[in-house]
C-alpha cells in the first residue's frame, strides 16, 4: 500500500495524540475504539443478492444515540430504499404496503428483542381515475387536496408476544417533489412528527441519505490506487426513514437506565410470503424477515457471498449457531484482500477482538479489548447465564452526549460515538478501516490507512432537533452528458437576458429585419424607376 504523503498537520496531530494516548488510559480506549471491520462503502445499501432487488425492503442504515438536545431520551433511526434519485417521479418513493418495518431492542442480552416498534404503511390515492400526477398543485399541508398520493401508518409496540397499537393512521411526510410542488417542505415534515403516548416522538418520511462514503471501494478497493479516494458517491440521494425518540427508561432492563444502561439495537424488514396453495384452504399471513441491520458493514464485508441472503433472515440469538459466519468474524476476508491489493499485512487470527466488537460488546470480561463500554454484562440486573453472542448495535445510554462530537467517535476519545451506538456524523468507514487492520489489538493506527476514504462528513449538515435528518434533495444527482450544452445555453440565455428580455430581443431583431427589407425594397423600386 502506498504510504500517505503530505499528511495535513491536523491529521498528524491527531495521529500523534492517539498514539501518545495509547500509552496511558486511552490505551484501553483505543482498544475499544476501532470496531466494526470493514473498509466498505455503503453501510448496508444492496448488501445481499436478494435484497438488492427489493429496494423497499432494503434497510440501509441504523442509528442509535442519546438525543443531544434531550439527553433523557434515545433517538433511533432506520432507513430504507437506497439511491433515491430526487427527480424519480411521477410515482416517487413509497414504503411498501406489504412490508413491516421494525426497530428492535434487546435489553437483557439474550439476542431476542424485548421491545419492538413496528410500522405498517397504507396508501391513500385521491381520484385515481382522473389524476396522473403525485400532486396537482402546491402542497402546503399533509391534508392538502392537491396531494394525490399519500401514506399513513400504524405504529405498534410489542413486548414479547404482547402488542398494542400506539398510533393509527399517522400521515408520513411525502416524497419531496420540488419547490413548485412543495414550496415549504420543512413545514410538511414538521407536520409529520407526532407525540407518542407515554412520552417520545415518531416520524416517517423521506430524508436525505445521511450515509457518506466513497463507493469506489468496491472496485477492488479504489482500483488499487488510494489517490482515487475522496468522492462522496452517496451525495445527492435520498432515502425513506422512520425515527423514534424514546425515554431511556422505556428501553432499559427493568425500566432502570441507571443500573442497566446497555441496550442492543437492530432493524428488520418483514415481507409477507408468497404461497401457492389450494384456494379452498385457509392460510394465515406468513411474514418472512428479509432484511436485517445492526452494526454497519457486517453483511457487506464479513459475511461471505454464499451466506449473505441467509444472514438477513437470522435473529441475533441464532448468530452463534451459524459457524460459517462466526468463522469469518474470527478470520475475516477483508484484511487479506487489503494485503493482496496494497501489501498491508493482515493481523494474526483468530480475531477475538472482532468477535468482541460484533458479538458481545466491549467489557473487560468479554475479550481482549480491556474496556468496559457497551456489553450487556455491564447491566447490573442482567442474568449472565442468558447472555449470548449476538450481532447488535450496542449503546450505553449512560454516556452523555459530547459537547463537540468527533467524527471518529471512540477512536478520538469521544465515547458517545460509534461503536457506542452510532450518530449521524460518525465516520464509520474511517473507524472501521483501522479496526479491520487490528488497531483494536495494537492500540496504534495504521499510518497507510490514516486518511480513510477521505470523505469525512455528509454533504449537507444535519438538524439539531428531532429527527435530526437533513431535508431530502430536489436536484438531480446525475446532470448527464448534455450538461455542457445546457450550461452553454444557460450562459447564452443569461447573456441575452431572461425569457421576457429574450422575447424583446427577438422582437427587436424582427423589427430591424423589417426595416432593412423595407429599405431594400424602396431602394430597388427607386433604381427601377430611375432606369
Amino acid at each position: 500500500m502506498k504510504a500517505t504523503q503530505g499528511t495535513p498537520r491536523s491529521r498528524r496531530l491527531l495521529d500523534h495524540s492517539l498514539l501518545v494516548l495509547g500509552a496511558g488510559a486511552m490505551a484501553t480506549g483505543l482498544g475499544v475504539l476501532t470496531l466494526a471491520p470493514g473498509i466498505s462503502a455503503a453501510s448496508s445499501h444492496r448488501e445481499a443478492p436478494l435484497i438488492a432487488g427489493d429496494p423497499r425492503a432494503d434497510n440501509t442504515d441504523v442509528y442509535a444515540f442519546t438525543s443531544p438536545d434531550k439527553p433523557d431520551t434515545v433517538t433511533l433511526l432506520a432507513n430504507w430504499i437506497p439511491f433515491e434519485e430526487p427527480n424519480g417521479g411521477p410515482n416517487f418513493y413509497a414504503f411498501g404496503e406489504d412490508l413491516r418495518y421494525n426497530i428492535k431492542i434487546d435489553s437483557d442480552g439474550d439476542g431476542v428483542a424485548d421491545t419492538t416498534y413496528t410500522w405498517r404503511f397504507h396508501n391513500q390515492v385521491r381520484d385515481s381515475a382522473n389524476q396522473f400526477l403525485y400532486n396537482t398543485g402546491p402542497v402546503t399541508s399533509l391534508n392538502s387536496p392537491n396531494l394525490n398520493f399519500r401514506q399513513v401508518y400504524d405504529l405498534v409496540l410489542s413486548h414479547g408476544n404482547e402488542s398494542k397499537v400506539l398510533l393509527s393512521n399517522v400521515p408520513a411526510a411525502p416524497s419531496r417533489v420540488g419547490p413548485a410542488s412543495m414550496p415549504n417542505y420543512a413545514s410538511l415534515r414538521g407536520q409529520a412528527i407526532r407525540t407518542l403516548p407515554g412520552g417520545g416522538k415518531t416520524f416517517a418520511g423521506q430524508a436525505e441519505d445521511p450515509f457518506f462514503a466513497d463507493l469506489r471501494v468496491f472496485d477492488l478497493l479504489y482500483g488499487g490506487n488510494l489517490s482515487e479516494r475522496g468522492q462522496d458517491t452517496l451525495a445527492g440521494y435520498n432515502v425513506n426513514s422512520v425515527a423514534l425518540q424514546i425515554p431511556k427508561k422505556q428501553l432499559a432492563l427493568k425500566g432502570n437506565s441507571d443500573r442497566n444502561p446497555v441496550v442492543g439495537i437492530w432493524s428488520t424488514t418483514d415481507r409477507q410470503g408468497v404461497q401457492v396453495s389450494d384456494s379452498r384452504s385457509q392460510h394465515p399471513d406468513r411474514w418472512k424477515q428479509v432484511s436485517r441491520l445492526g452494526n454497519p458493514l457486517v453483511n457487506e464485508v464479513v459475511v461471505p457471498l454464499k451466506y449473505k441472503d441467509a444472514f438477513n433472515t437470522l435473529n441475533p440469538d441464532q448468530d452463534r449457531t451459524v459457524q460459517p459466519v462466526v468463522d469469518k468474524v474470527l478470520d475475516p476476508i477483508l484484511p487479506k484482500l487489503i494485503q493482496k491489493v496494497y501489501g498491508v499485512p493482515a493481523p494474526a487470527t483468530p480475531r477475538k477482538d472482532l468477535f468482541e466488537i460484533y458479538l458481545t460488546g466491549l467489557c473487560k470480561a468479554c475479550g481482549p479489548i480491556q474496556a468496559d463500554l457497551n456489553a450487556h454484562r455491564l447491566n447490573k440486573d442482567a442474568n449472565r447465564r442468558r447472555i449470548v453472542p449476538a450481532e447488535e448495535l450496542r449503546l450505553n445510554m449512560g454516556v452523555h452526549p459530547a459537547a463537540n462530537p468527533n467524527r471518529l467517535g471512540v477512536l478520538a476519545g469521544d465515547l458517545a460515538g460509534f461503536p457506542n451506538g452510532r450518530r449521524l456524523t460518525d465516520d464509520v468507514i474511517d473507524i472501521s478501516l483501522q479496526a479491520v487492520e487490528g488497531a483494536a489489538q495494537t492500540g496504534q493506527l495504521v499510518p497507510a490507512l490514516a486518511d480513510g476514504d477521505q470523505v469525512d462528513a455528509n454533504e449537507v449538515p444535519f438538524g439539531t432537533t428531532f429527527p435530526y435528518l437533513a431535508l431530502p434533495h430536489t436536484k438531480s444527482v446525475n446532470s448527464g452528458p448534455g450538461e455542457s450544452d445546457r450550461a452553454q445555453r444557460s450562459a447564452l440565455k443569461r447573456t441575452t437576458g431572461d425569457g421576457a428580455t429574450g422575447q424583446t430581443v427577438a422582437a427587436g431583431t424582427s423589427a430591424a429585419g423589417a426595416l432593412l427589407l423595407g429599405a431594400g425594397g424602396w431602394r430597388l423600386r427607386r433604381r427601377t424607376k430611375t432606369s
Side-chain angles (χ1 to χ4, degrees):
M1 171 177 282
K2 296 179 181 179
T4 303
Q5 301 296 324
T7 305
R9 183 173 181 272
S10 58
R11 175 120 16 222
R12 293 199 304 273
L13 287 173
L14 172 61
D15 295 346
H16 178 72
S17 299
L18 288 172
L19 293 175
V20 172
L21 289 171
M26 272 303 294
T28 300
L30 270 177
V32 182
L33 319 181
T34 48
L35 306 145
I39 190 177
S40 170
S43 176
S44 204
H45 301 55
R46 301 170 55 80
E47 80 279 3
L50 287 179
I51 204 64
D54 192 4
R56 287 184 177 179
D58 189 356
N59 190 181
T60 64
D61 285 282
V62 173
Y63 301 85
F65 52 89
T66 293
S67 310
D69 58 332
K70 197 172 176 52
D72 61 333
T73 68
V74 166
T75 292
L76 307 170
L77 305 171
N79 300 331
W80 282 266
I81 314 180
F83 302 109
E84 292 182 2
E85 160 63 40
N87 292 323
N91 289 298
F92 295 95
Y93 305 97
F95 291 96
E97 282 190 295
D98 54 347
L99 298 169
R100 294 192 306 202
Y101 299 93
N102 308 297
I103 293 180
K104 300 187 175 186
I105 298 96
D106 175 12
S107 303
D108 56 12
D110 63 357
V112 178
D114 299 291
T115 304
T116 299
Y117 293 91
T118 301
W119 288 257
R120 286 291 311 275
F121 291 87
H122 311 284
N123 298 342
Q124 294 183 344
V125 182
R126 173 180 169 270
D127 196 12
S128 60
N130 295 308
Q131 306 293 344
F132 71 97
L133 285 172
Y134 195 80
N135 59 290
T136 46
V139 177
T140 57
S141 79
L142 297 180
N143 295 317
S144 170
N146 289 330
L147 186 60
N148 296 322
F149 176 86
R150 74 172 191 166
Q151 289 194 300
V152 297
Y153 65 88
D154 298 332
L155 178 58
V156 177
L157 170 64
S158 300
H159 294 294
N161 294 324
E162 297 181 359
S163 299
K164 65 177 180 181
V165 179
L166 290 180
L167 295 172
S168 293
N169 293 318
V170 180
S175 293
R176 190 179 187 183
V177 175
S181 294
M182 298 174 183
N184 189 348
Y185 189 83
S187 173
L188 285 179
R189 189 172 81 167
Q191 296 170 39
I193 297 173
R194 298 300 173 93
T195 301
L196 293 173
K201 299 176 182 177
T202 178
F203 164 80
Q206 195 182 41
E208 181 267 347
D209 189 342
F211 189 66
F212 49 91
D214 188 338
L215 298 183
R216 182 79 197 289
V217 68
F218 289 123
D219 182 15
L220 288 179
L221 309 181
Y222 311 107
N225 184 352
L226 291 181
S227 68
E228 298 182 5
R229 297 166 294 173
Q231 179 184 357
D232 181 4
T233 32
L234 275 300
Y237 289 103
N238 298 323
V239 291
N240 277 22
S241 300
V242 300
L244 289 170
Q245 192 169 73
I246 304 295
K248 291 178 177 177
K249 62 183 180 181
Q250 294 185 17
L251 304 179
L253 179 63
K254 295 187 176 181
N256 191 332
S257 58
D258 293 326
R259 287 180 55 83
N260 306 301
V262 176
V263 291
I265 301 105
W266 70 100
S267 178
T268 64
T269 317
D270 303 328
R271 176 177 285 288
Q272 281 183 304
V274 176
Q275 300 179 39
V276 178
S277 61
D278 187 331
S279 60
R280 293 168 297 183
S281 303
Q282 296 295 319
H283 295 274
D285 290 341
R286 293 182 178 178
W287 291 91
K288 301 292 185 183
Q289 180 180 308
V290 296
S291 182
R292 164 195 174 186
L293 181 57
N295 282 291
L297 314 174
V298 171
N299 206 351
E300 287 83 349
V301 300
V302 176
V303 180
L305 277 171
K306 184 177 180 179
Y307 302 104
K308 287 181 180 296
D309 290 326
F311 184 79
N312 270 336
T313 68
L314 295 177
N315 195 63
D317 70 328
Q318 299 172 286
D319 292 340
R320 70 190 190 285
T321 68
V322 184
Q323 196 59 43
V325 173
V326 174
D327 288 346
K328 291 306 177 186
V329 174
L330 296 171
D331 187 9
I333 304 167
L334 182 59
K336 298 175 181 176
L337 179 61
I338 292 177
Q339 178 173 331
K340 181 179 180 181
V341 176
Y342 290 112
V344 177
T349 58
R351 297 294 302 275
K352 294 184 178 179
D353 57 332
L354 298 182
F355 188 90
E356 183 177 359
I357 291 165
Y358 287 130
L359 300 178
T360 66
L362 306 180
C363 75
K364 294 176 181 176
C366 298
I369 302 174
Q370 290 298 299
D372 287 333
L373 182 62
N374 61 353
H376 280 96
R377 289 175 61 99
L378 301 177
N379 286 341
K380 292 183 174 58
D381 296 323
N383 183 344
R384 293 185 177 179
R385 289 176 298 180
R386 297 187 59 189
I387 295 175
V388 299
E391 197 280 298
E392 301 172 359
L393 177 65
R394 290 176 171 83
L395 171 67
N396 185 332
M397 299 185 291
V399 178
H400 293 288
N404 298 298
N406 190 299
R407 71 179 179 88
L408 297 177
V410 181
L411 184 62
D414 178 2
L415 299 181
F418 183 74
N420 185 27
R422 181 184 176 190
R423 300 169 299 196
L424 290 166
T425 55
D426 287 338
D427 191 344
V428 296
I429 292 294
D430 284 9
I431 298 170
S432 301
L433 190 60
Q434 290 293 324
V436 75
E437 288 303 302
Q441 298 183 85
T442 65
Q444 296 183 347
L445 297 178
V446 178
L449 302 174
D451 285 345
D453 69 348
Q454 295 187 339
V455 178
D456 296 342
N458 197 38
E459 78 272 22
V460 292
F462 298 113
T464 56
T465 58
F466 182 81
Y468 308 101
L469 298 157
L471 297 179
H473 290 288
T474 58
K475 183 180 179 181
S476 297
V477 176
N478 181 10
S479 56
E483 174 61 17
S484 59
D485 294 338
R486 285 193 291 273
Q488 290 179 1
R489 289 198 295 272
S490 296
L492 178 62
K493 190 175 180 180
R494 287 193 297 271
T495 301
T496 57
D498 58 15
T501 306
Q503 292 175 2
T504 303
V505 172
T509 303
S510 299
L515 286 172
L516 289 172
L517 285 173
W522 177 79
R523 287 173 64 85
L524 178 61
R525 287 196 299 273
R526 184 179 179 186
R527 281 200 300 272
T528 302
K529 185 180 292 184
T530 302
S531 60

